[in-house]
Amino acid sequence: MDASAMLVALLTILAAAAAAAVASSSLRRRKNQPPGSLGLPVVGHTLALLRALRSNAAEDWLHRRAAAYGPVSTISLFGRPTAFLAGASCNKLLFSSDKLAAMSSASFLRMVGRRNIREVAGDDHRRVRAMMARFLRLDAVKNYVSAMDDEVRRHLRAEWGGRAAVAVMPSMKSLTFDVMCTVLFGLERRGDHAAVRRELSSEFQQLVRGIWAVPVNLPFTTFGKCLAASRRGRRAVARIVEERRRAMPRGGGGGDLVTHMLAEGMDEEEIIDNVVFLMVAAHDTTAVLLTFLLRHLDGNRAAYERVAAEQEAIATQRRRRGGSGSGSGSALTWDDLAGMRYTWAAAMETLRMVPPTFANMRKAVADVEVGGYVIPKGWQVITAATMTHLDPAIFPDPGRFEPARFEAAAAKSAPPPFSYVPFGGGARACPGNEFARAETLVAMHYIVTGFRWRLAAGCDGGFSRHPLPCPNQGLLLDIEPKEYNEL
């Protein structure tokens, strides 16, 4: 961060000190308040948590607080009193209570927009969610598999073929962006759409960095530069919306999400906000899952061998079906993906150990009772998925990578409701989880059947969780094409 931005950020934090002091005084007067403290003046626990996230020690930091104060405790984050909740019942409260509203940073709202599905509530949330659910429901996702197949093959040929090493995280981010452009937004690779894809890719990469920047809108700050990129990206999306609007009377472009939103009567601002939100959400979460799944399989040869055997069997079925003139076999089908049970169990285990979103935060819009305590109106409320994901009472030996936990045979010992929440839960569950599942399985099929891999020399496999899980060196792998490569 540049010096000027740091100065303005410091002034912003200091400006919040008076409010924090008032909140602290009020806190001491309240009865049944959660145990704990607001920590250091002004900064509270913010710096301690951020340091823990950067060093991948945040789980230990939170577990120590829960051990000291119980499942409901008081901390201070970003200058505001915050209730930290731990446990499945607390997850349920966070995702289900109408007394807790969405809460995003000022930077997020400026980059993404205020009318996206995450921010709206009540009837508006139900309306937008129902619209997206119809487009992302299971029977709709089945129709996207062929297009995903084409994008994955194209990407691996271009970015992995002929190379001795690859940085997985940047590669997977590029792949998931291409899948979104093709499948969700109907942007082709030729003609005018090719230029639009390049423009969106450039602006989107800048926009994402701005989500975590200090919200100081000056031309030379990170936030200012990223906000300018957000405006350019939104104008590009607006042109797509207008193109789809003109095509609708002629019956054109009916298969993409933007046209679907127009048909549902959403206005341009609402469409743009939700398109940008989907790009952020789908881009990062699936890329994180794919990256860390490869990392865990590299370190667990027994699991890798089972995944490889499963994928090779499906590849054999594809070859028997035939299909392409190149002799590489037909594209994957939904039935193929349905047979990838162990591969998806390995993906679910990866999500348990490394959830793409470390914490979920809400704001209390009314006093909330939980665990015998009262969380006052106006407080922040935060939960962390790892508090249940790494709980040995729920998942024995939680530090061990064991996909068998999620195989069908283990269904009788399925974890309690709201204890496994990589996709959220209740009314706030991610509507795109089936889309993410299909995209992950298609990508894993061609990676596993096309390449052997191992951690590159000097890459220790470590990672940081700030702001999202990110492996050292982007997870640098040495790769070698397999003898029978169907890309």
Side-chain angles (χ1 to χ4, degrees), residues 160 164 301 304 447-454 477-485:
W160 290 47
R301 298 311 298 177
Y304 167 79
I447 292 173
V448 171
T449 59
F451 300 91
R452 299 180 182 87
W453 71 86
R454 63 180 180 274
L477 297 181
D478 290 330
I479 59 173
E480 176 187 356
K482 289 188 174 180
E483 291 76 10
Y484 194 93
N485 189 313

Side-chain angles (χ1 to χ4, degrees), residues 1 105 107-108 110-112 170 173 200-215 221-230 232 276 280 283-284 466-468:
M1 185 188 305
S105 68
S107 297
F108 180 93
R110 293 291 297 277
M111 296 294 160
V112 175
K173 286 189 175 185
L200 280 176
S201 178
S202 174
E203 306 300 358
F204 177 71
Q205 297 298 327
Q206 183 86 336
L207 178 158
V208 169
R209 288 193 290 272
I211 289 174
W212 312 103
V214 176
T221 63
T222 297
F223 181 84
K225 295 173 183 177
C226 294
L227 187 59
S230 174
R232 293 191 297 268
V276 174
V280 171
H283 173 268
D284 282 329
H466 180 71
L468 296 173

Side-chain angles (χ1 to χ4, degrees), residues 314-373:
I314 291 168
T316 299
Q317 296 173 12
R318 290 178 42 251
R319 294 183 201 117
R320 290 171 179 166
R321 288 200 304 263
S324 92
S326 66
S328 61
S330 62
L332 287 165
T333 66
W334 181 258
D335 287 341
D336 291 329
L337 269 57
M340 300 180 186
R341 295 182 181 88
Y342 188 81
T343 304
W344 184 240
M348 292 180 70
E349 177 73 339
T350 301
L351 289 168
R352 181 188 69 81
M353 299 184 74
V354 191
T357 302
F358 178 76
N360 290 282
M361 186 173 286
R362 297 284 190 270
K363 179 180 179 180
V365 294
D367 286 358
V368 180
E369 294 186 17
V370 55
Y373 302 106

Side-chain angles (χ1 to χ4, degrees), residues 154-460:
R154 184 191 303 270
H155 176 85
L156 293 176
R157 283 196 302 267
E159 303 297 329
W160 290 47
R163 299 192 180 188
V166 64
V168 178
M169 179 69 91
S171 174
M172 293 301 98
K173 286 189 175 185
S174 175
L175 171 60
T176 55
F177 182 85
D178 285 340
V179 170
M180 282 189 297
C181 284
T182 297
V183 178
L184 293 184
F185 307 131
L187 296 177
E188 299 176 354
R189 288 184 170 274
R190 58 183 182 274
D192 293 340
H193 285 177
V196 174
R197 287 174 75 121
R198 289 192 297 271
E199 180 182 9
L200 280 176
S201 178
S202 174
E203 306 300 358
F204 177 71
Q205 297 298 327
Q206 183 86 336
L207 178 158
V208 169
R209 288 193 290 272
I211 289 174
W212 312 103
V214 176
V216 180
N217 186 16
L218 295 172
F220 52 83
T221 63
T222 297
F223 181 84
K225 295 173 183 177
C226 294
L227 187 59
S230 174
R231 295 190 185 106
R232 293 191 297 268
R234 292 174 70 86
R235 286 196 292 268
V237 175
R239 291 195 296 271
I240 297 171
V241 173
E242 183 56 31
E243 175 190 309
R244 298 293 191 268
R245 194 193 311 276
R246 291 196 306 267
M248 281 184 67
R250 300 192 298 272
D256 65 275
L257 181 58
V258 173
T259 301
H260 191 69
M261 290 177 173
L262 285 167
E264 292 293 321
M266 296 174 69
D267 62 47
E268 181 175 291
E269 181 184 0
E270 191 173 24
I271 292 174
I272 293 173
D273 286 0
N274 280 287
V275 165
V276 174
F277 173 78
L278 281 173
M279 292 174 74
V280 171
H283 173 268
D284 282 329
T285 54
T286 307
V288 168
L289 169 55
L290 284 165
T291 299
F292 282 88
L293 178 51
L294 294 181
R295 173 183 177 270
H296 280 298
L297 290 177
D298 176 74
N300 296 267
R301 298 311 298 177
Y304 167 79
E305 293 297 340
R306 286 197 61 182
V307 168
E310 182 175 80
Q311 296 301 334
E312 291 294 350
I314 291 168
T316 299
Q317 296 173 12
R318 290 178 42 251
R319 294 183 201 117
R320 290 171 179 166
R321 288 200 304 263
S324 92
S326 66
S328 61
S330 62
L332 287 165
T333 66
W334 181 258
D335 287 341
D336 291 329
L337 269 57
M340 300 180 186
R341 295 182 181 88
Y342 188 81
T343 304
W344 184 240
M348 292 180 70
E349 177 73 339
T350 301
L351 289 168
R352 181 188 69 81
M353 299 184 74
V354 191
T357 302
F358 178 76
N360 290 282
M361 186 173 286
R362 297 284 190 270
K363 179 180 179 180
V365 294
D367 286 358
V368 180
E369 294 186 17
V370 55
Y373 302 106
V374 175
I375 301 171
K377 175 182 177 181
W379 275 34
Q380 298 174 144
V381 179
I382 186 173
T383 65
T386 53
M387 295 303 295
T388 50
H389 287 195
L390 300 180
D391 184 345
I394 300 172
F395 298 99
D397 196 4
R400 179 170 56 91
F401 182 75
E402 182 48 79
R405 302 178 203 270
F406 295 100
E407 286 190 281
K412 59 184 178 181
S413 59
F418 291 95
S419 61
Y420 180 72
V421 289
F423 295 110
R428 292 283 175 176
C430 174
N433 57 355
E434 287 295 343
F435 186 93
R437 176 174 177 264
E439 185 178 16
T440 298
L441 292 175
V442 172
M444 285 301 297
H445 176 77
Y446 289 108
I447 292 173
V448 171
T449 59
F451 300 91
R452 299 180 182 87
W453 71 86
R454 63 180 180 274
L455 279 179
C459 183
D460 61 7

